[in-house]
Amino acid sequence: MNPFEPVVKPQNTIVISPKYFKEEKVVLPSDARVLKEVVFVYQSVSGDIKEKRVEINKRIDFHRPIYITHSAKKFPLRELHFLNLFTMYIKDKTILIRTKDRLLRKFFLIKPFRIVLDFKRKADFLTIKKTLKNSIVKKVVVGNHKGYYRVVIYFDTKYMYKIKQISEGIKIELK
């Protein structure tokens, strides 16, 4: 018997991702008079089940439904220039790095969450740091190394992401 082989073989291996939440209408019972609190139970990025309690403690009219809405925050288009190396465009949860330089490697680091991209080019410059406000990208640091330069993108939280090589350069989509 192989100790690395699972003892139980899963029957259903299809992962069903829930739909994106937009709105929910809640009708309270006729005896409701004071809304004490709202409890949100959610699954975190790590898969843990957590809860967030919001105290309300206000009078309500049970005849009027309560609506919970979730709308995506829109961030303005940001355009960042890094010498003659590349231009970075950030819009909502999409990042485009426009460059002709070849991507050598890519990886991420957790604390703080950041994506690291190495591009092939012999260049000579001092480290560049740009901090952003009102964006999912908090900071971008570009450093010079022997035969390549490194782009480190810091985010406001952990994200699932997809990196694609496109004709204009690199496209990063966050989820």
Side-chain angles (χ1 to χ4, degrees), residues 53-88:
R53 294 180 174 276
V54 180
E55 284 191 42
I56 307 291
N57 205 24
K58 303 246 168 112
R59 291 175 11 133
I60 54 161
D61 178 356
F62 75 90
H63 295 97
R64 296 169 52 193
I66 296 172
Y67 290 92
I68 302 168
T69 60
H70 183 244
S71 55
K73 182 172 179 176
K74 298 292 182 185
F75 294 101
L77 173 65
R78 304 297 294 265
E79 183 175 330
L80 306 171
H81 299 277
F82 292 89
L83 303 173
N84 62 345
L85 301 170
F86 65 92
T87 302
M88 179 182 287

Side-chain angles (χ1 to χ4, degrees), residues 101-107 115-121 143 145 147-152 170:
D101 299 330
R102 186 170 58 91
L103 181 66
L104 295 173
R105 69 189 138 264
K106 59 188 183 244
F107 57 94
I115 293 176
V116 180
L117 306 164
D118 290 342
F119 292 92
K120 183 168 180 55
R121 180 189 277 199
H145 296 270
Y148 69 96
Y149 62 92
R150 174 166 285 174
V151 179
V152 183
I170 300 296

Side-chain angles (χ1 to χ4, degrees), residues 93-95 106 113 115 117 155 159-166 170-175:
K93 290 187 174 180
T94 303
I95 301 166
K106 59 188 183 244
F113 183 78
I115 293 176
L117 306 164
F155 295 93
Y159 289 98
M160 292 179 28
Y161 66 92
K162 189 183 297 182
I163 298 176
K164 293 185 209 172
Q165 201 139 14
I166 58 174
I170 300 296
K171 183 177 184 179
I172 303 170
E173 293 174 318
L174 304 171
K175 296 179 184 194

Side-chain angles (χ1 to χ4, degrees), residues 127-144:
T127 299
I128 304 165
K129 295 178 185 178
K130 295 192 181 192
T131 304
L132 294 106
K133 293 181 181 172
N134 195 25
S135 174
I136 57 170
V137 174
K138 292 299 167 198
K139 179 170 63 172
V140 179
V141 179
V142 181
N144 188 27

